[in-house]
Amino acid sequence: DFLGTYAETLEALHDTGQVPAEVRLLTRIASQPAEVPDREIRSEVARLRQWAVAETRRALRTLDFGERVLNAYNHRCAICGIQLRPLDGAHILPVAEPDSTDETANGVALCALHHRAYDRSLVTFDTDFRVHINEMRVQELRAAGLAGKLRDFHSSLRDVIHLPPEKANRPRREFVEKANT
């Protein structure tokens, strides 16, 4: 899965193996990529190798997050219930937000259609897990002449999102609140 990243960073990564502190950091990244912050990479890794180590951590973190979220939701879209591929482990609070994390509780399993609709604020859910359509976005689509089959889209939505059986994996209130502001 990481062949491209590995090929791009091959030289820098192999140089990292010569410094014991960097080896310890890479070992931690391999086992728990979400637990190693960028600032630690900047402080522990030589400047020329920081990009390679940070990119490797991001790739591992992303793969780990998606797998955990999909497993938590039993590979079922939280908004429509479909279990067909493609499904994504989507961040509730986007990665670009300062308080975003790769905790499973900041994730929701979404099919490709609902992931895009969620990312574009067409559909969302609240802290009681009720699904909502953003009427402002609907009006924008209507004004642009792009609201065909909107009724079908709306009827495919569940009233309440499908939740993981394990409570610790369910969307955490603070992530949902920040995402909806």
Side-chain angles (χ1 to χ4, degrees):
D1 287 338
F2 301 110
L3 185 58
T5 302
Y6 175 73
E8 289 175 357
T9 61
L10 172 74
E11 199 171 308
L13 282 174
H14 284 279
D15 286 347
T16 302
Q18 298 173 14
V19 180
E22 292 178 359
V23 171
R24 286 191 296 276
L25 186 65
L26 280 174
T27 302
R28 283 186 45 225
I29 288 171
S31 64
Q32 295 181 312
E35 302 301 315
V36 180
D38 284 337
R39 70 181 181 299
E40 189 171 346
I41 293 170
R42 285 190 301 272
S43 70
E44 296 290 326
V45 178
R47 188 168 180 78
L48 292 174
R49 292 189 290 277
Q50 287 176 9
W51 183 87
V53 173
E55 284 302 304
T56 301
R57 182 188 61 83
R58 273 193 252 321
L60 287 168
R61 198 174 94 173
T62 300
L63 180 63
D64 178 55
F65 173 79
E67 286 178 12
R68 281 186 286 109
V69 171
L70 291 177
N71 287 333
Y73 283 82
N74 295 316
H75 294 265
R76 181 181 305 276
C77 176
I79 291 180
C80 70
I82 198 165
Q83 274 188 303
L84 301 174
R85 290 185 182 168
L87 284 174
D88 300 316
H91 284 86
I92 296 167
L93 188 61
V95 174
E97 293 292 323
D99 294 329
S100 182
T101 72
D102 282 338
E103 295 173 63
T104 306
N106 185 34
V108 60
L110 297 173
C111 67
L113 173 64
H114 292 117
H115 190 171
R116 291 187 78 157
Y118 182 82
D119 284 350
R120 287 169 174 74
S121 302
L122 176 60
V123 66
T124 191
F125 58 93
D126 62 26
T127 55
D128 293 323
F129 309 119
R130 290 186 311 261
V131 176
H132 302 278
I133 288 193
N134 182 332
E135 287 303 321
M136 190 171 77
R137 294 283 185 250
V138 168
Q139 294 307 317
E140 290 171 1
L141 289 170
R142 284 192 174 123
L146 300 173
K149 298 288 185 173
L150 184 62
R151 190 167 290 158
D152 293 342
F153 175 80
H154 193 276
S155 68
S156 74
L157 304 176
R158 300 169 55 97
D159 292 331
V160 176
I161 66 169
H162 167 75
L163 292 170
E166 235 180 275
K167 287 185 179 183
N169 291 331
R170 293 179 181 173
R172 195 169 311 135
R173 178 179 206 87
E174 62 261 26
F175 295 132
V176 176
E177 286 173 347
K178 286 181 183 180
N180 288 333
T181 57

